[in-house]
Amino acid sequence: FDVGVILPAAGSGERLGGATPKQYCKILGKPLFLYALEAFEKISYVRHIVLVVDDPSNVEPFLQETNSHKVVVVQGESTRHRSIRAGLQALTKQECDMRVVIVHDAVRPVVPEDLVRQLVLAANENGAAGAVCRLVSTVISAETDGSLKTVLDRNAHLASETPQAFQTDVLVSAYSKCTDKDLDCGTECLQLALEYAGVHAQLVEGSPNDLWKVTIHRDMYTASECLRERSN
Ligand code: CTP
Ligand code: MG
């Protein structure tokens, strides 16, 4: 069956800072968003890729270069959920019927193909699936005065990453039923699928060496080094 991909890339990169939003920063001479885009282009069962950006004219020069027939560019919105919803609307307007949709942050340049396949199959079977990593740090919760409240059991919690995969109907239904508060304050598509479409969200463990996101300054070094290593 056919699969669609949504790559949200319309954020402003506040935690990284700097003049250019992180998705456009050049890593080894190539803008960050192109790594994930090119990785999904190579996957044969991916029919369409919707790249969601703040301003489509920013990416047109790069897309002309790659000359892809799979890519559709759409305008993003004020939050990640809203941008993904815009991407989903564009995806469902495509002629071909895609049974599963993958959501992957454009600022995560490493896309492990094996994991993508596992997620797609798990989503097709269960409704939704997402990549997770074991936690590196111990997670605690704090009181409002900044003192320690409780220590969580590290082995009972996981970090949620992307890619995530959903039956298309599940994601469409979740975004049509969720509230404005979800769209403005939420961060987790799997939660919307669970809460509003009532599906089982299968978690698939990946490697933290693959599933990192460029978020803060140090991640730019990680990105150059990891991507250099992979290109050799
Ligand atoms: N994103 C989006 N639309 C938004 C906000 C975020 O498409 N309104 C995208 C980002 O471009 C990124 C992904 O969602 O590819 C993950 O978000 P995040 O890492 O939080 O990126 P930013 O929101 O840009 O960064 P920050 O939160 O530090 O401002
Ligand atoms: Mg953000």
Side-chain angles (χ1 to χ4, degrees):
F1 55 88
D2 291 324
V3 170
V5 176
I6 300 169
L7 297 177
S12 52
E14 268 173 46
R15 284 170 289 178
L16 181 71
T20 317
K22 59 193 178 184
Q23 57 272 28
Y24 302 125
C25 288
K26 296 253 170 103
I27 312 271
L28 310 180
K30 191 155 90 175
L32 181 57
F33 76 90
L34 267 189
Y35 287 90
L37 185 99
E38 289 176 355
F40 281 109
E41 264 180 351
K42 289 198 192 104
I43 299 179
S44 59
Y45 54 83
V46 168
R47 281 296 294 271
H48 292 290
I49 301 168
V50 178
L51 179 66
V52 189
V53 293
D54 52 341
D55 178 356
S57 69
N58 286 341
V59 296
E60 264 145 30
F62 300 109
L63 298 179
Q64 271 162 12
E65 243 169 73
T66 55
N67 191 26
S68 169
H69 303 295
K70 290 188 181 180
V71 183
V72 178
V73 181
V74 300
Q75 176 89 47
E77 293 184 34
S78 56
T79 65
R80 180 173 178 273
H81 270 324
R82 290 185 185 278
S83 293
I84 293 170
R85 189 180 59 170
L88 184 62
Q89 273 160 6
L91 202 59
T92 52
K93 277 189 203 135
Q94 303 303 308
E95 265 164 44
C96 110
D97 205 19
M98 284 158 282
R99 201 192 300 178
V100 169
V101 177
I102 294 168
V103 174
H104 181 71
D105 293 326
V107 292
R108 296 174 183 265
V110 179
V111 180
E113 251 193 80
D114 250 25
L115 179 67
V116 171
R117 184 176 286 273
Q118 282 180 59
L119 291 164
V120 166
L121 294 175
N124 185 45
E125 193 148 309
N126 300 293
V132 293
C133 283
R134 287 179 187 277
L135 294 174
V136 177
S137 302
T138 294
V139 181
I140 61 175
S141 69
E143 303 284 1
T144 45
D145 69 0
S147 64
L148 175 69
K149 189 174 177 187
T150 45
V151 179
L152 303 180
D153 174 6
R154 186 169 65 201
N155 294 318
H157 295 83
L158 295 159
S160 178
E161 316 283 352
T162 78
Q164 296 181 339
F166 305 86
Q167 288 172 10
T168 307
D169 297 346
V170 163
L171 202 58
V172 168
S173 158
Y175 274 116
S176 71
K177 290 181 193 159
C178 74
T179 63
D180 279 352
K181 187 169 173 239
D182 290 315
L183 292 173
D184 290 332
C185 308
T187 55
E188 184 52 75
C189 297
L190 291 177
Q191 184 196 2
L192 298 186
L194 184 71
E195 219 167 288
Y196 295 103
V199 298
H200 174 91
Q202 183 63 46
L203 307 177
V204 182
E205 191 181 336
S207 165
N209 292 323
D210 296 333
L211 299 181
W212 42 274
K213 176 166 75 72
V214 173
T215 309
I216 58 174
H217 189 61
R218 142 189 111 174
D219 302 328
M220 296 299 275
Y221 294 102
T222 309
S224 319
E225 287 312 307
C226 284
L227 296 171
R228 193 191 316 279
E229 209 174 279
R230 278 162 197 277
S231 69
N232 288 334

